[in-house]
Amino acid sequence: MKIIGVVPARGGSKGVPYKNIRLLGDKPLIAWTIETSLRSKILDRVIVSTDDYDIAELSVNVGAEVPFLRPSELAQDDTPDLPVYLHVLDYLAKQENYRPDIVVWLRPTSPLRLAEDVENTVNILTSNEQLDCVRSVCLAEHHPYWMKKLEDNCLIPFLHEIDENKFYRRQLLPPVYRLNGAVDVSWCKNVIEKKQLYVGKMAGYIMPPERSVDLDSELDFALAEVLLNRRNNESNN
């Protein structure tokens, strides 16, 4: 079985300019994901898909493969994951005659994941042949039962069917999970055949909140710095 990790990292970013190579702690953001992927014992290759020469050069220096530069039309603000995913598979098949069985999608904006998170997520998929994909999740910080929407400047429940009076304390709320974007694993053949990502029977891999930060803003970077410092302090004690 051939399992590859793919790190999608385009050069443009509106929220935090050039965030994929911005320093987080003592290394560029994308380096955290590449190094973690290389430490995992389950990936045969780690490939970065980017349209940017600087990101490509940095990624190779850290240890990843960058066999191509992604076409600009696949590196726009509104480009979804699917065409980028298919472009990687198409290139490997046509240029290298290489066809992986599983792709592990590793966004560089989730730098706090561990190698064990990558390994555990893949193992969930390979241990159950009925699964189509596995996605990492964490407990949602804000429960949807308590969410509101504004209509004519009036707050109304986001979920009309829920009686909020039954859930007046946090302890009464059922656990709900959000996708944290750290590790998504899928069978390549399913994606190629269905031309869809993450469909069919999907399992979740639960990660703790301190490894689930997704960096899209300056506040996210500040929080990640705090969590990295805490991790370093704990490892030194």
Side-chain angles (χ1 to χ4, degrees), residues 114 227-237:
L114 301 178
L227 292 171
L228 276 176
N229 288 335
R230 188 175 76 174
R231 179 187 292 181
N232 292 334
N233 291 334
E234 289 174 351
S235 64
N236 292 331
N237 292 334

Side-chain angles (χ1 to χ4, degrees), residues 143-151 153-167:
H143 204 284
Y145 283 15
W146 286 358
M147 289 185 177
K148 309 289 185 183
K149 57 184 177 179
L150 273 172
E151 291 187 3
N153 206 33
C154 291
L155 285 173
I156 61 174
F158 182 72
L159 300 173
H160 292 284
E161 66 273 17
I162 299 301
D163 182 359
E164 293 183 57
N165 294 320
K166 293 181 178 179
F167 303 98

Side-chain angles (χ1 to χ4, degrees), residues 4 25 33 37 39 48 55 59 65 73 96 100 111 117 135 148 151 154 156 182-183 211 233:
I4 65 169
T33 291
S37 304
R39 279 197 300 271
V48 171
I55 294 176
S59 299
E65 298 178 50
E73 62 268 23
E96 302 183 14
D117 296 320
R135 308 191 73 180
K148 309 289 185 183
E151 291 187 3
C154 291
I156 61 174
V183 190
R211 301 208 299 270
N233 291 334

Side-chain angles (χ1 to χ4, degrees), residues 2 12 32 35 43 45 70 83 100 130 147 152 188 212 225:
K2 296 188 281 290
W32 291 94
E35 290 179 357
L43 300 178
R45 303 173 66 177
R70 193 197 310 176
Q130 294 183 345
M147 289 185 177
D152 298 325
C188 297
S212 297
E225 291 278 4

Side-chain angles (χ1 to χ4, degrees), residues 47-68:
I47 296 172
V48 171
S49 170
T50 184
D51 61 315
D52 187 272
Y53 286 99
D54 291 335
I55 294 176
E57 183 179 14
L58 189 153
S59 299
V60 170
N61 290 339
V62 176
E65 298 178 50
V66 186
F68 55 80

